[in-house]
Amino acid sequence: MYKLKEIADKVYYVGVNDRQKVLFENMWPLPYGVSYNSYLIIDEKTVLVDTVDVCYSDIFLKKIEDALGGRTLDYLIVNHMEPDHSGSIRLLRQLYPNVQIVGNKRTFDMLEGFHGINTGLLEVKDGETLNVGRHQLSFHLAPMVHWPEVMVTYDATDKILFSADAFGTYGALDGAVLDVDMNLDHYWDEMRRYYANIVGKYGNPVQKALQKLSGLEIKTICSTHGPVWTKYIPDVIKIYDQLSRYEGQDGVVIVYGSMYGNTEQMAEAIASSLAEHGVKNIVMHNVSKSHASYILKDIFKYKAVIIGCPTYSNQLYPEIDSLLQKIEVREVKNRLFGYFGSFSWAGAAVKRLAAFGEKMNWEVVGAPVEQKQGLKPDKYEACWELGKAMAERI
Ligand SMILES: Cc1cc2nc3c(=O)[nH]c(=O)nc-3n(C[C@H](O)[C@H](O)[C@H](O)COP(=O)(O)O)c2cc1C
C-alpha cells in the first residue's frame, strides 16, 4: 500500500512523523513537529536501520511489513539506543523473532536494560563490516554523539552514511524526504536548535566523529531526524563543524530578565548602540518569554552574548539563573561576553554574572553596567558604551 521513498537502489525510508508531541524530551518545543527516521535495505538479506518512538510503532511496523512483501527481517542495526529510536525494538522482535540485532557492547547493555533483550545479537566492533548482498556495511563507533553507545553505519556500495542523531534536525517531513525535494528554510535554524539543545555539550566527541568520518566518500546522509541529506551535505557538515567547535557567527544575542522594565530599558539602550555602531545581527530575548531552547540556539549561533539581570532575593533573577545553568552544562566556549544588571537596595546580580563569565572563561567586553532603581543618564551612557565596545570587538 505504501509508496515508500526509495533513497537509493532498494533502500527505503520507513520513518514516521510526530506532529503531536509538544515538547521533545519533555523540554524542547516542536513547532514543526519531529520525524523519527528509519531505513530499510532490501538485499539478499533484509536490514532495518534503527526503529522509531513506541507511540508510532503501529504505523512503522505496517510500513516495514509492506516493504518486505512477505520476506522476513534478517537484521536490525541499532545505531542509537535513545528511546525515540529504540522504542519499537521489542515489538519488532515479537513480529520477527529471528531478526539479528546488530550493535556494539554498549548497545547491548542498554538493550537488555530498556527492553530485556539479550539473545539474537550480533556484536560489532569499530570498523567491522557486514555483507548483506550488494550492500557492504561497516560500523563506526561515535561515542557521546550524544550517547555512549552511538555508532554510525556506512554503506560502501551506495555511499550512504546512516548517521544516528548526527546531522539531525527538529521538524517533521512535510511530504518529501530528500533535501533536494523540499523547501529547507526552517530546517537550518531547527538543526542549530536541535544541536544546541540535545548535542551541545559534546563538541569534542562530534569533532572526533567528523574527523573519523572524513575519510569516507559520502553521497547521502540518513540521520534519525529530519531530511535525508544529499546536495546539501557540505552545508550540513559545515554547520555541525562550526557548532561543535563553538564557532559563532558575527552577531550579538542580548538576553535579559526584567520584572518591571528597568533592566529591559538597559537592554534596549545596548541594542540601539550595537545597531548604531554597525551590528546587523542582533537578537533580543526576554528570558521570561523566549523558551530557553531558542536562546541556546542563538547563543550557539552567534559569537557575542550580553546578559542582563535584576537582583532577586539577593540572587540572580531565577529565569536567568536557570538559563546560565543550561549554558554551563553545554560548556559553551569562546564567547564574547557583556553583562549588566539592576537592583534596588543591595545588588547581587551583576557580581554573579561576573562570576559566571569567569567560570565560562569567556572574554569580557566593555564595562559591566549596574543600575540602582530607574535608568539615569549616566547609566544610559554606560549601556551605550557597552554596546559600542561590543560592536567594535566583533
Ligand atoms: C521579588 C523581588 C525581589 C527582589 N530582591 C532584591 C534584592 O535582593 N536586592 C535588591 O537590591 N533588589 C531586589 N529587588 C529589586 C529589583 O532588583 C530592582 O527593582 C530591579 O531594578 C528590578 O528590575 P526590573 O525593573 O527590570 O524588573 C527585588 C525585587 C523583587 C520584585
Side-chain angles (χ1 to χ4, degrees):
M1 174 174 98
Y2 296 102
K3 297 187 191 307
L4 298 169
K5 181 70 187 172
E6 195 170 358
I7 291 160
D9 188 27
K10 301 281 188 292
V11 180
Y12 297 93
Y13 178 83
V14 290
V16 296
N17 286 312
D18 184 344
R19 302 179 195 278
Q20 297 186 12
K21 189 169 279 167
V22 178
L23 296 174
F24 192 74
E25 292 183 352
N26 233 349
M27 258 192 294
W28 315 111
L30 291 172
Y32 302 102
V34 67
S35 70
Y36 311 119
N37 298 346
S38 168
Y39 306 91
L40 183 66
I41 303 169
I42 307 278
D43 205 328
E44 284 170 27
K45 299 286 183 187
T46 57
V47 185
L48 184 69
V49 184
D50 289 311
T51 75
V52 304
D53 191 296
V54 69
C55 299
Y56 291 85
S57 54
D58 187 44
I59 171 84
F60 172 62
L61 294 173
K62 279 182 186 150
K63 283 185 180 181
I64 292 168
E65 203 176 351
D66 205 61
L68 286 172
R71 290 181 66 181
T72 190
L73 185 63
D74 296 307
Y75 293 109
L76 164 66
I77 295 170
V78 180
N79 281 332
H80 185 19
M81 273 301 298
E82 199 175 0
D84 54 337
H85 308 297
S86 71
S88 300
I89 294 180
R90 211 160 54 83
L91 290 171
L92 190 87
R93 186 36 104 58
Q94 280 170 14
L95 210 58
Y96 304 101
N98 296 322
V99 65
Q100 286 267 300
I101 301 180
V102 183
N104 59 69
K105 204 169 165 7
R106 284 174 157 157
T107 321
F108 295 150
D109 172 60
M110 292 186 184
L111 192 64
E112 166 128 50
F114 281 118
H115 302 295
I117 295 174
N118 55 18
T119 57
L121 310 180
L122 176 63
E123 186 181 323
V124 291
K125 296 199 171 57
D126 194 33
E128 281 189 358
T129 56
L130 178 67
N131 185 347
V132 295
R134 196 177 74 80
H135 293 268
Q136 306 278 337
L137 305 176
S138 59
F139 307 97
H140 308 267
L141 303 190
M144 297 322 298
V145 182
H146 60 117
W147 274 28
E149 85 299 354
V150 170
M151 63 181 197
V152 299
T153 300
Y154 179 64
D155 171 10
T157 311
D158 288 327
K159 319 279 185 238
I160 302 173
L161 182 71
F162 298 96
S163 65
D165 277 348
F167 313 114
T169 77
Y170 295 131
L173 296 173
D174 296 340
V177 171
L178 295 180
D179 55 358
V180 286
D181 294 333
M182 64 177 79
N183 180 334
L184 289 166
D185 286 355
H186 70 261
Y187 286 108
W188 301 119
D189 260 1
E190 286 296 85
M191 174 176 276
R192 290 189 181 90
R193 192 164 68 89
Y194 177 84
Y195 182 93
N197 297 173
I198 312 295
V199 188
K201 181 182 173 66
Y202 303 108
N204 283 339
V206 171
Q207 275 294 310
K208 278 192 193 133
L210 287 174
Q211 275 153 27
K212 190 170 177 177
L213 300 174
S214 63
L216 301 175
E217 185 191 349
I218 299 170
K219 288 191 176 152
T220 306
I221 293 180
C222 293
S223 167
T224 41
H225 297 291
V228 167
W229 301 106
T230 56
K231 180 180 170 188
Y232 294 93
I233 287 175
D235 306 71
V236 165
I237 289 180
K238 189 173 170 204
I239 288 177
Y240 257 69
D241 185 41
Q242 283 178 340
L243 291 170
S244 57
R245 282 189 289 111
Y246 301 93
E247 185 187 299
Q249 301 173 19
D250 283 350
V252 184
V253 188
I254 302 175
V255 192
Y256 64 92
S258 187
M259 297 168 281
Y260 297 108
N262 295 292
T263 318
E264 186 171 62
Q265 294 270 307
M266 301 172 81
E268 295 286 5
I270 293 165
S272 300
S273 172
L274 283 166
E276 196 61 29
H277 293 96
V279 180
K280 288 220 167 62
N281 291 322
I282 304 168
V283 186
M284 291 188 75
H285 287 292
N286 172 346
V287 75
S288 304
K289 277 189 98 176
S290 300
H291 193 284
S293 171
Y294 293 87
I295 305 174
L296 289 170
K297 181 262 290 173
D298 285 325
I299 289 174
F300 269 81
K301 185 171 179 181
Y302 294 113
K303 66 162 75 149
V305 185
I306 302 180
I307 301 181
C309 185
T311 298
Y312 190 98
S313 302
N314 209 26
Q315 312 269 335
L316 291 162
Y317 184 56
E319 301 300 316
I320 290 285
D321 205 10
S322 162
L323 177 72
L324 298 191
Q325 199 260 346
K326 292 181 177 73
I327 297 170
E328 210 180 313
V329 163
R330 286 162 180 76
E331 299 174 22
V332 180
K333 296 174 190 26
N334 305 329
R335 289 299 177 268
L336 303 172
F337 182 45
Y339 58 98
F340 60 98
S342 68
F343 69 101
S344 272
W345 58 91
V350 168
K351 268 181 243 147
R352 284 168 189 260
L353 287 173
F356 167 76
E358 215 165 289
K359 207 170 183 183
M360 298 301 294
N361 207 15
W362 286 358
E363 178 186 332
V364 175
V365 176
V369 190
E370 187 171 35
Q371 162 186 290
K372 185 176 178 186
Q373 298 147 2
L375 184 58
K376 318 272 184 322
D378 60 330
K379 296 298 175 184
Y380 182 88
E381 200 53 43
C383 288
W384 191 265
E385 285 305 311
L386 173 52
K388 183 178 173 208
M390 188 60 89
E392 284 168 357
R393 179 66 187 81
I394 61 174

